[in-house]
Amino acid sequence: MEDCIFCKIAKGEFNTEFIYEDSEVVVFKDINPIAPVHLLVVPKKHYSSLNDDIEPMLLSKLLLTVKKVTKQLGIDEYRTVINTGETAGQSVFHIHLHIVSSEKLGPIC
Ligand code: 5GP
Ligand code: ZN
């Protein structure tokens, strides 16, 4: 999608370092990390948010990618977050999963 920052990143337009890439997803570091590990799992296909009509296989793929990448990095304690909608904190309207990890992470509520 034109003018979507994550579409551009996924296409390699900014030479972003990918922690992981395959035909459907890319994983890269968040530009403004909130913890020592803060990664974003982003599908190459554009969907605005989790509220879109997303193929179940892709939804499954996104979570499997979280498992694969954290395993590869040797991280077994982490938080996975999907913000959906502005009031819930979504600022980039191309669906993405945050992987956040820090020894200091407390319970979310
Ligand atoms: P959201 O608030 O939509 O759940 O998360 C968007 C995330 O994308 C934010 O944590 C923000 O720091 C990150 N972000 C926004 N623009 C860029 C960018 O150009 N590059 C990278 N690596 N991360 C970005
Ligand atoms: Zn996009």
Side-chain angles (χ1 to χ4, degrees):
M1 190 191 182
E2 261 178 61
D3 290 335
C4 169
I5 187 82
F6 283 2
C7 280
K8 289 180 178 172
I9 289 175
K11 282 184 196 144
E13 289 187 18
F14 301 118
N15 286 326
T16 307
E17 182 198 349
F18 294 145
I19 305 294
Y20 175 80
E21 178 180 17
D22 64 25
S23 60
E24 293 177 304
V25 302
V26 291
V27 179
F28 53 88
K29 290 181 183 168
D30 195 294
I31 202 169
N32 189 20
I34 60 164
V37 175
H38 189 171
L39 305 175
L40 299 172
V41 178
V42 176
K44 291 185 171 178
K45 190 169 176 187
H46 180 91
Y47 292 98
S48 301
S49 81
L50 191 58
N51 287 336
D52 280 14
D53 194 9
I54 306 169
E55 305 108 77
M57 289 291 279
L58 181 59
L59 281 175
S60 158
K61 176 65 181 278
L62 293 170
L63 272 182
L64 288 168
T65 303
V66 172
K67 287 170 66 72
K68 180 180 270 188
V69 169
T70 52
K71 190 173 180 190
Q72 275 176 3
L73 296 175
I75 301 165
D76 56 14
E77 300 198 359
Y78 55 88
R79 183 173 293 160
T80 307
V81 175
I82 305 175
N83 294 320
T84 305
E86 251 177 72
T87 62
Q90 186 174 5
S91 60
V92 176
F93 284 81
H94 177 131
I95 190 174
H96 52 280
L97 286 70
H98 297 254
I99 300 172
V100 180
S101 182
S102 156
E103 290 169 16
K104 292 179 186 160
L105 282 180
I108 202 158
C109 57

